[in-house]
Amino acid sequence: MIELLLLVPEDLVESVSDALMDELEALSVSVEDADADTDAERALFGEPGMPPPSAGWQRSVVTALFADEDVATEAATLLLAQDWAQEKVHVQAMRPVVEQDWVRLTQSQFSPVEITPSFWIVPTWHEPPAAAERFIRLDPGLAFGTGTHPTTRMCLRWIANQAPTFSGSWSRVLDYGCGSGILAIGAALHGGRDIDAVDIDEAAVISTNANAAANGVTLKAALPDGASGTYPLVLANILATPLKLLAPLLCGHVAPGGHLVLAGILERQADELKAAYAPWCDLEVSDSEDGWILMTARLKP
């Protein structure tokens, strides 16, 4: 494999990328800021109070992957011969790609994750730790929720810690915005029953069903209209803005005396969430990790 690195101005990035992929037999194309980590670096994503972001970087490094050096050389020659590319597009480097076992490399980045000393998330290529009385088998996939993010860990930790006291009442559980289904599976492993896991993303529904089967738990995964009635336990690990918008809907699904567990919230957003949910319940911060917080409430019986 050979990488061809081209220095390309902003207005030609799309043309160069299309030519490499569509006409010059590139196996893949990626684009990076040529000025990254310098004073000229420019953000593409806007922030509140800042000017609107630009569509691209002033100078980009376009990296194309080719099967061999001959194909890469021919591609560079043909590309630079175009009138629109002359004097504007420059070859920065052409170099071999070091062969790696990409599967093994990816797997090495995901080790078992401790939720509590007795509850772990374990990829399929690892043996469960000796201390794991309960564990979720879960590999990285298309849907959010592998246990590596603080919001997921806090939700699972809450489930594990509260289960000895409350799992007997978890006759129905709702995981709203289920992603990989990890929270629904965690609830099932800790005594939750009749579990609905819903998400707006069909890929998440498919992922949840597959992960549930892999862990030997029974649940119903569906699009959001699959949630119906009330539940003694409602879990939602999304983000603060949708959580605020969903306040009436989520609270409407919590049974009297039931628990609401919310995550995806930054510490500075706590007051916003408390205000949004005030008409229905009193949210409190129950856990925090790396700038993220877990907020919970118990509705009045």
Side-chain angles (χ1 to χ4, degrees):
M1 294 286 188
I2 297 292
E3 278 185 336
L4 172 64
L5 282 69
L6 301 166
L7 190 61
V8 182
E10 180 178 341
D11 60 325
L12 291 182
V13 168
E14 186 173 354
S15 298
V16 169
S17 300
D18 289 346
L20 289 165
M21 287 297 296
D22 298 340
E23 302 170 26
L24 299 175
E25 300 184 39
L27 302 175
S28 67
V29 173
S30 62
V31 181
E32 297 177 272
D33 185 1
D35 298 311
D37 300 322
T38 72
D39 292 340
E41 183 176 5
R42 185 169 66 177
L44 293 188
F45 302 98
E47 295 288 346
M50 293 178 61
S54 58
W57 296 297
Q58 291 180 339
R59 303 187 313 151
S60 295
V61 175
V62 176
T63 302
L65 183 66
F66 292 92
D68 56 51
E69 187 172 356
D70 290 342
V71 179
T73 300
E74 183 178 6
T77 302
L78 292 172
L79 184 64
L80 297 179
Q82 305 303 310
D83 292 340
W84 52 267
Q86 293 178 9
E87 307 298 327
K88 292 185 176 181
V89 178
H90 303 279
V91 175
Q92 192 174 61
M94 188 181 296
R95 62 195 183 197
V97 177
V98 178
E99 292 293 333
Q100 298 199 57
D101 184 340
W102 295 107
V103 172
R104 187 178 297 276
L105 180 63
T106 299
Q107 290 181 348
S108 70
Q109 298 172 6
F110 292 90
S111 299
V113 176
E114 180 181 342
I115 303 303
T116 70
S118 61
F119 179 34
W120 292 70
I121 301 164
V122 185
T124 55
W125 52 85
H126 279 282
E127 289 299 315
E133 298 174 9
R134 292 185 179 89
F135 57 89
I136 299 175
R137 281 290 192 189
L138 195 69
D139 295 340
L142 294 177
F144 175 79
T146 61
T148 58
H149 197 275
T151 59
T152 307
R153 290 197 298 270
M154 287 189 293
C155 287
L156 290 172
R157 190 156 55 233
W158 186 94
I159 291 170
N161 290 335
Q162 298 300 319
T165 302
F166 294 105
S167 64
S169 67
W170 294 346
S171 56
R172 298 190 76 206
V173 178
L174 174 62
D175 179 3
Y176 198 96
C178 58
S180 67
I182 189 169
L183 301 188
I185 295 168
L189 293 177
H190 286 85
R193 304 171 299 284
D194 194 5
I195 298 171
D196 289 330
V198 302
D199 202 293
I200 60 173
D201 185 354
E202 291 186 359
V205 174
I206 295 171
S207 179
T208 293
N209 278 322
N211 289 328
N215 283 277
V217 304
T218 301
L219 54 77
K220 291 172 286 185
L223 296 175
D225 58 7
S228 63
T230 60
Y231 303 79
L233 176 59
V234 174
L235 307 156
N237 181 13
I238 315 176
L239 283 172
T241 297
L243 284 176
K244 287 190 288 185
L245 296 173
L246 289 168
L249 183 148
L250 292 176
C251 291
H253 279 308
V254 183
H259 287 94
L260 177 64
V261 179
L262 305 179
I265 307 161
L266 294 169
E267 289 177 344
R268 59 180 171 78
Q269 297 170 322
D271 290 341
E272 300 174 35
L273 268 293
K274 287 181 180 180
Y277 281 77
W280 300 276
C281 61
D282 296 323
L283 279 180
E284 297 293 340
V285 176
S286 297
D287 201 352
S288 64
E289 186 176 338
D290 295 341
W292 297 90
I293 57 174
L294 183 76
M295 302 194 75
T296 63
R298 189 173 187 189
L299 270 67
K300 295 178 180 179

